[in-house]
Amino acid sequence: MATKLFSPLTIKNITLKNRIAISPMCQYSAIDGFANDWHLVHLGSRASGGAGLIIQEATAVSPEARISPSDLGIWKDEHIEKLKQINAFIVSQNSIPGIQLAHAGRKASVSAPWLGNKKLDFAQGGWQTVAPSAIPYHEGEPFLPEELDKNGIQKVISDFKTATKRVVEAGYQVVEIHAAHGYLLHQFLSPLTNVRTDEYGGSFENRIRFTLEVVEAVQSEWPSDLPLFVRISATDWAENGWNPEESVQLSKILKEKGVDLIDVSSGGLVSHQKITLGPGYQVPFAEKVKAEANIATGAVGLITEAEQAEEILNLDQADLILFARESLRNPNLPLDFAAALNDDIQWPKQYERAKL
Ligand SMILES: Cc1cc2nc3c(=O)[nH]c(=O)nc-3n(C[C@H](O)[C@H](O)[C@H](O)COP(=O)(O)O)c2cc1C
């Protein structure tokens, strides 16, 4: 039976063989930003597992843009070689390599999750973080982020631009700009973290300015025939925060600017957020953005079953389904899901004797 989940999706010059994307997931396994064989195997096995699109983890546009010292980076030309090798493998599996470009802002300079996700001071290899306003993530935290001045803002925008130049060289075919989860772009969007009084703070138009300038900087290097995604948090799950209506307004503007898909996530901005969790809990936001901003969306968050993913697509709530934790449990999730939905897809020839 032909399913929506395993139908191709064409965006600009790229055709994904199915609607399954691997959601960006930090591996905290890089040294000085460099990818290594862990990233090759992690991303490569999900490509051989049948996903149409693999979005590489939040990749830092500068050293201070990293969440932890072990994040991937693309701030120097030397990073390109290994990334190129990984992308060539992904393409050899008939999958599309994508990358998420990111700046962690005030959430930077922490240890990896398995080391406690703790703020690192200078002696521990940490660095001065930056943000739209000098407000820390945790109230009473001793390490305040530094408020970015105009030069600082221009430097970050230019870092996104030069990073994109390297992204092209490394052979990625999709770029996603990370404007979600409380990282730097999201910090500018939300009035909870942005109390600036210049043209980057205050009104909705001012708060979205930085994100739009980053999008333009990426577009100045990114081929116009390749897909550009933006990941947003549709709500802060906190009073007086960024909200779904503003997400729709921003998505309309991004669409006009030539962004192809909004990857709709939520939360991550403030420690007092109150999230209502449940299967597919963010899908209604993807549906709202798709319907009201008339732009393609990706749905993500507690989507774990084939029938659930198929239904989201059939109800026209989203165009693409992103899987994170379920794809860590099962790198061959697409192969299994095709069997569950009675669809017949091509398995890697090396694995054909195991085909269900
Ligand atoms: C280990 C891990 C690392 C993650 N790293 C990123 C990241 O780099 N960028 C991002 O936008 N989201 C990141 N996320 C969030 C996921 O992409 C996804 O949005 C979230 O886990 C919800 O989807 P799920 O329920 O399928 O796991 C990460 C999640 C996990 C579990």
Side-chain angles (χ1 to χ4, degrees):
M1 193 184 72
T3 59
K4 193 86 199 268
L5 190 59
F6 289 94
S7 67
L9 175 64
T10 298
I11 307 176
K12 295 217 173 112
N13 264 0
I14 295 295
T15 298
L16 309 179
K17 66 185 168 188
N18 57 46
R19 309 297 181 106
I20 299 177
I22 302 302
S23 200
M25 277 180 284
C26 288
Q27 298 297 293
Y28 307 100
S29 299
I31 296 171
D32 191 26
F34 282 92
N36 56 49
D37 284 350
W38 175 264
H39 305 93
L40 171 67
V41 172
H42 165 66
L43 298 167
S45 54
R46 280 152 191 83
S48 60
L53 171 66
I54 313 283
I55 307 183
Q56 179 180 300
E57 69 187 73
T59 302
V61 298
S62 65
E64 62 284 356
R66 292 174 292 179
I67 302 166
S68 82
S70 42
D71 287 22
L72 280 182
I74 190 153
W75 66 80
K76 49 186 174 186
D77 291 346
E78 290 77 11
H79 287 141
I80 295 171
E81 188 184 351
K82 187 70 182 180
L83 299 172
K84 223 177 187 171
Q85 184 205 350
I86 295 172
N87 291 339
F89 181 80
I90 292 172
V91 168
S92 80
Q93 300 305 298
N94 197 18
S95 182
I96 300 289
I99 184 170
Q100 186 183 53
L101 286 180
H103 193 304
R106 72 173 187 168
K107 287 176 84 177
S109 189
V110 297
S111 60
W114 54 85
L115 298 174
N117 200 29
K118 292 210 177 69
K119 208 78 186 163
L120 299 173
D121 62 25
F122 294 110
Q124 296 163 314
W127 56 92
Q128 175 63 54
T129 61
V130 295
S133 303
I135 308 169
Y137 181 74
H138 293 289
E139 215 175 305
E141 202 174 278
F143 311 105
L144 286 189
E146 198 173 271
E147 179 182 316
L148 278 167
D149 62 13
K150 296 281 164 59
N151 286 338
I153 288 175
Q154 286 313 311
K155 155 88 168 59
V156 176
I157 292 169
S158 132
D159 287 341
F160 270 93
K161 180 178 160 74
T162 47
T164 307
K165 207 184 258 185
R166 296 187 190 100
V167 165
V168 174
E169 245 185 87
Y172 293 94
Q173 296 174 35
V174 172
V175 166
E176 173 168 282
I177 296 171
H178 199 351
H181 300 168
Y183 295 112
L184 187 62
L185 275 64
H186 186 184
Q187 289 160 29
F188 271 88
L189 294 176
S190 177
L192 298 179
T193 39
N194 180 351
V195 297
R196 299 176 74 96
T197 52
D198 64 1
E199 68 266 36
Y200 289 97
S203 66
F204 171 79
E205 284 68 29
N206 283 355
R207 283 182 280 118
I208 68 170
R209 189 180 310 281
F210 177 65
T211 293
L212 299 185
E213 288 179 357
V214 167
V215 168
E216 282 164 17
V218 168
Q219 284 175 321
S220 70
E221 296 293 339
W222 186 237
S224 58
D225 57 359
L226 291 179
L228 176 60
F229 296 3
V230 175
R231 175 169 268 199
I232 61 167
S233 282
T235 171
D236 289 341
W237 298 107
E239 225 175 307
N240 302 320
W242 179 259
N243 60 51
E245 281 64 41
E246 288 181 310
S247 297
V248 169
Q249 290 315 312
L250 173 64
S251 300
K252 281 184 185 168
I253 295 166
L254 291 174
K255 186 190 171 170
E256 272 168 33
K257 286 205 160 290
V259 169
D260 301 290
L261 181 141
I262 307 294
D263 175 3
V264 187
S265 189
S266 73
L269 185 85
V270 288
S271 53
H272 62 275
Q273 64 181 6
K274 295 270 177 296
I275 301 189
T276 317
L277 277 179
Y281 69 108
Q282 296 173 147
V283 175
F285 301 128
E287 180 178 23
K288 184 178 169 74
V289 169
K290 183 171 163 61
E292 295 177 25
N294 194 23
I295 187 167
T297 57
V300 64
L302 289 178
I303 302 168
T304 54
E305 287 172 10
E307 295 75 10
Q308 183 191 11
E310 179 68 8
E311 189 181 54
I312 294 166
L313 296 171
N314 281 328
L315 292 175
D316 221 18
Q317 294 174 300
D319 302 271
L320 183 70
I321 311 289
L322 294 98
F323 296 90
R325 287 162 294 179
E326 196 57 29
S327 81
L328 294 184
R329 294 177 200 115
N330 180 6
N332 296 322
L333 171 153
L335 306 181
D336 284 353
F337 277 18
L341 295 174
N342 278 323
D343 206 332
D344 189 26
I345 63 162
Q346 197 176 351
W347 280 43
K349 57 184 181 298
Q350 297 90 336
Y351 291 0
E352 260 171 6
R353 288 167 67 185
K355 192 168 178 182
L356 300 164

